[in-house]
Amino acid sequence: KELLWDISRQADLEKEKWEENVEVNLFTFLSWHKYVIVLDDMWHTETWDAIKNAIPTNMKNKSKIILTSRNNDEDTHVGRKSSLH
């Protein structure tokens, strides 16, 4: 939840909206905006599982999620092989 709050704060989501029902409010907010989210050095697939419902990933607004990890399982868990570099 702290990671979602941090993303919400950095995206300038109103504090009242990220304090209550952060997943739904962040998803709605990001759906209307173009964004780049950088998740650096993610070690566990559970981290992605905890935030994935709050981040729209199939939007046509060309938003991006950049993930770095030393764990080879992260790449296939988060995205399709065609989205990896």
Side-chain angles (χ1 to χ4, degrees):
K1 222 167 196 131
E2 288 181 30
L3 181 55
L4 291 177
W5 289 340
D6 194 35
I7 293 169
S8 298
R9 185 182 49 78
Q10 291 182 44
D12 287 334
L13 183 65
E14 297 172 17
K15 187 174 182 179
E16 300 82 34
K17 291 188 177 181
W18 55 266
E19 286 181 334
E20 184 176 321
N21 208 357
V22 66
E23 284 185 359
V24 171
N25 290 327
L26 181 58
F27 185 92
T28 302
F29 180 81
L30 292 177
S31 294
W32 290 97
H33 294 85
K34 187 173 184 178
Y35 59 86
V36 173
I37 296 176
V38 178
L39 302 169
D40 186 36
D41 202 21
M42 191 182 314
W43 279 81
H44 305 285
T45 57
E46 293 84 9
T47 304
W48 176 251
D49 291 339
I51 66 170
K52 70 181 178 182
N53 292 331
I55 301 174
T57 56
N58 59 354
M59 302 301 294
K60 296 183 183 206
N61 66 2
K62 299 186 180 182
S63 294
K64 303 291 182 208
I65 300 170
I66 299 170
L67 168 84
T68 66
S69 179
R70 296 177 190 181
N71 183 346
N72 292 335
D73 295 333
E74 286 295 325
D75 54 3
T76 55
H77 184 76
V78 173
R80 301 178 314 261
K81 290 200 180 267
S82 63
S83 67
L84 304 174
H85 298 285

